[in-house]
Amino acid sequence: MSTVEQTIDVDVPLRTAYNQWTQFEEFPKFMEGVEEVRQTDDRHCHWRTKVAGVRREFDTEIVDQLPDERVAWRTVAGDVQQMGVVSFQPLDEAHTRVRLAMDVEPSGMAEKAADAMGVLDRRVKGDLKRFKGYIEEHGQESGGWRGRISPGGADSPDMTPRDDPGSTGLR
C-alpha cells in the first residue's frame, strides 16, 4: 500500500471549503482522471475514472464525516483499493488549510511503476491546486451537506440535508 499526503491553503472560509468538498458529483471539475462520481446515498458513491488510458470503476463508502473537520472514506467494491481522509483547519476567518491523506494499493505493473515514480503524489497535489482554483474562482460553495456520519455506522440524530433549499437530500 502506498501513502500520499498533500496540504494546500485556500482563500475561502472553512465552511465554504468543507461544503464544496461534500459535493462529490462535482469532483470531475477539478480532479484529473475522474470522469464521473455518482452519489447513491448519503454514505456511498460510484466512481468512474480514466488514468493513462485505463478505465476503472469502484464504489466508496464514507466511514466518518464531521462537518467543518473531516471526511474519511474507503473503497468497498471495484477495481481500486484505497482509503483516505480529507481534513479542514481554519487559518483565520477567510482562509482554510485542506489536508488530504490517502492509502492506495496500486494494481498492475504500470501502476506500481507510476507509484514508484511519484505520479500519485503529483496527481493529488494537482487535484488540490485545481480545487483551490475552483473554489476561489467561484467564491462560494455550490452546495453543502452538514450531516454527521460516525465511524461504526451509527449516524447522529442531527443528520440534516444540504443547506441548499432546493435540495433533494443528497449532497
Side-chain angles (χ1 to χ4, degrees):
M1 187 137 318
S2 180
T3 300
V4 61
E5 244 182 82
Q6 293 290 331
T7 302
I8 197 160
D9 295 344
V10 296
D11 298 337
V12 297
L14 172 72
R15 185 177 180 104
T16 301
Y18 173 85
N19 281 350
Q20 186 60 55
W21 197 274
T22 67
Q23 302 305 291
F24 305 123
E25 292 184 351
E26 292 192 24
F27 281 9
K29 294 179 180 178
F30 59 84
M31 287 189 174
E32 183 180 351
V34 176
E35 293 185 329
E36 177 186 34
V37 179
R38 189 179 71 250
Q39 185 161 1
T40 57
D41 62 32
D42 286 339
R43 285 184 176 270
H44 299 93
C45 292
H46 180 78
W47 293 66
R48 192 168 40 92
T49 63
K50 185 176 180 183
V51 178
V54 178
R55 276 214 160 83
R56 303 250 190 248
E57 291 197 36
F58 57 96
D59 296 319
T60 56
E61 174 186 39
I62 303 298
V63 294
D64 185 17
Q65 184 167 345
L66 182 59
D68 297 332
E69 285 191 27
R70 71 183 164 274
V71 178
W73 72 93
R74 66 179 174 187
T75 54
V76 292
D79 301 330
V80 173
Q81 293 300 313
Q82 65 171 255
M83 65 178 75
V85 63
V86 61
S87 57
F88 304 85
Q89 175 188 2
L91 299 175
D92 59 33
E93 289 183 12
H95 301 89
T96 304
R97 178 159 294 145
V98 180
R99 179 182 167 272
L100 179 63
M102 291 175 48
D103 288 329
V104 179
E105 185 66 47
S107 60
M109 293 301 289
E111 286 182 10
K112 289 178 183 178
D115 180 50
M117 294 186 297
V119 171
L120 181 59
D121 281 329
R122 288 191 299 278
R123 172 152 303 187
V124 170
K125 187 174 186 174
D127 288 346
L128 285 178
K129 282 184 180 179
R130 284 184 292 279
F131 174 73
K132 175 182 174 68
Y134 182 81
I135 190 62
E136 289 177 3
E137 179 181 319
H138 288 86
Q140 63 185 22
E141 65 270 32
S142 60
W145 192 78
R146 310 290 304 166
R148 171 73 168 119
I149 295 176
S150 301
D155 298 338
S156 70
D158 65 344
M159 193 103 131
T160 56
R162 293 188 308 181
D163 295 330
D164 177 6
S167 169
T168 61
L170 292 179
R171 297 167 210 232

